[in-house]
Amino acid sequence: MKKLGVWSYGNLTNSVTDGMISSFAGGCHYTFKWKDIETSFNIFDWSTFDSKINYAVGKDVYIGFEVWVSGPSPVSATPSYLYSNGVEQVVMQTSGDIYPNYRNSYYQTRYTNMLNQVLAYFAAYPINTKNHILYWEVVMGSTGDGVPFHGVPVNPAYDFTDAQWSTYKRPFWSAINTSISSSFPALKILINPQNFLLEYSWVENNIPNAWLKGGDFSHNFNFSGEKNYSDSLNVLYGTGRIARGE
């Protein structure tokens, strides 16, 4: 198996991707949705996890993954029971897309529980399966992007400044990284440092073992702050800590 190079993103079960995997790809990044895993309160369905993970292991390729918690229609990933139990719906201007109120304490409790359930399930996989799983991109906002919403809330009270969003995310990253270190130490936490590396310094000072998503340099060209971005990541080349372009 090889870790470096082009990885597949998404489904491995078609002939095109199978051919790519067998010829040159080093692995696959999987995206799961919270609502597909926790189908109702504390009822977890791991069948999608198992089928995709086992398929990749059968192809003898490495695996990275993330669990979306929200996103624009039609990729909304939030379990409906959260709204039924008092989590406010945050409606976007123009699109009308609905997101959860991340500040809601019940939401945060259930989000933390989901993270812990996922970790416990993965940590119980057979050793050969665990040896194929390299990283977990722990996400908190819209899809795997570094923002809470794709859009602007109708009610501005639900919005976040960049500083507020950073303050929200960091305790979750720290807590789950501690749990990973104790129950599945070979698994690496992957963090999206956000556009322009807003989280870079904090990650380096607080979770120096974390891997970093390098999104900007793979889907932007001549963007503002390009030199600072490349200078910051250049020091990590060769460390194996940069994972995931797009």
Side-chain angles (χ1 to χ4, degrees):
M1 295 188 296
K2 52 183 181 293
K3 301 177 183 178
L4 301 179
V6 176
W7 278 40
S8 170
Y9 182 96
N11 197 339
L12 278 183
T13 59
N14 63 71
S15 58
V16 174
T17 312
D18 275 354
M20 182 183 75
I21 288 294
S22 64
S23 59
F24 62 84
C28 181
H29 179 89
Y30 281 131
T31 297
F32 302 99
K33 294 181 180 180
W34 183 0
K35 70 179 183 181
D36 295 334
I37 298 169
E38 189 177 11
T39 55
S40 58
F41 175 78
N42 240 21
I43 303 298
F44 288 85
D45 179 355
W46 303 107
S47 58
T48 302
F49 265 69
D50 288 340
S51 63
K52 291 190 173 184
I53 297 298
N54 290 336
Y55 190 89
V57 172
K59 294 293 180 182
D60 201 25
V61 296
Y62 285 109
I63 301 161
F65 73 98
E66 61 188 298
V67 180
W68 287 356
V69 301
S70 66
S73 178
V75 299
S76 175
T78 310
S80 59
Y81 84 83
L82 293 173
Y83 299 126
S84 301
N85 284 276
V87 176
E88 299 84 356
Q89 295 186 344
V90 181
V91 181
M92 296 296 105
Q93 299 177 21
T94 308
S95 69
D97 289 336
I98 295 174
Y99 292 78
N101 173 21
Y102 305 112
R103 294 183 175 94
N104 182 286
S105 60
Y106 180 73
Y107 174 89
Q108 294 181 20
T109 297
R110 298 311 303 167
Y111 173 70
T112 299
N113 179 71
M114 181 273 288
L115 295 181
N116 290 332
Q117 293 289 338
V118 169
L119 178 58
Y121 192 78
F122 269 63
Y125 269 135
I127 186 64
N128 180 55
T129 301
K130 290 197 289 186
N131 286 342
H132 285 76
I133 304 171
L134 292 185
Y135 67 80
W136 176 7
E137 181 180 353
V138 178
V139 300
M140 293 170 218
S142 185
T143 64
D145 290 342
V147 294
F149 315 111
H150 281 113
V152 178
V154 172
N155 185 343
Y158 293 125
D159 209 354
F160 289 81
T161 64
D162 285 343
Q164 289 171 336
W165 187 233
S166 293
T167 298
Y168 172 83
K169 293 183 293 184
R170 292 170 179 177
F172 291 109
W173 280 331
S174 293
I176 195 62
N177 183 64
T178 298
S179 297
I180 289 171
S181 298
S182 62
S183 62
F184 191 172
L187 181 67
K188 298 299 183 182
I189 185 173
L190 176 68
I191 292 176
N192 183 351
Q194 207 163 330
N195 291 340
F196 309 111
L197 296 177
L198 293 178
E199 301 291 351
Y200 176 84
S201 294
W202 182 86
V203 172
E204 288 300 282
N205 290 327
N206 293 275
I207 313 181
N209 63 306
W211 288 9
L212 295 171
K213 177 180 178 180
D216 270 347
F217 63 64
S218 56
H219 58 60
N220 285 334
F221 177 76
N222 198 30
F223 60 93
S224 178
E226 181 177 1
K227 186 177 187 306
N228 177 65
Y229 190 93
S230 62
D231 286 349
S232 297
L233 292 187
N234 275 340
V235 300
L236 299 179
Y237 289 153
T239 67
R241 291 183 52 219
I242 302 175
R244 279 215 67 201
E246 285 185 343

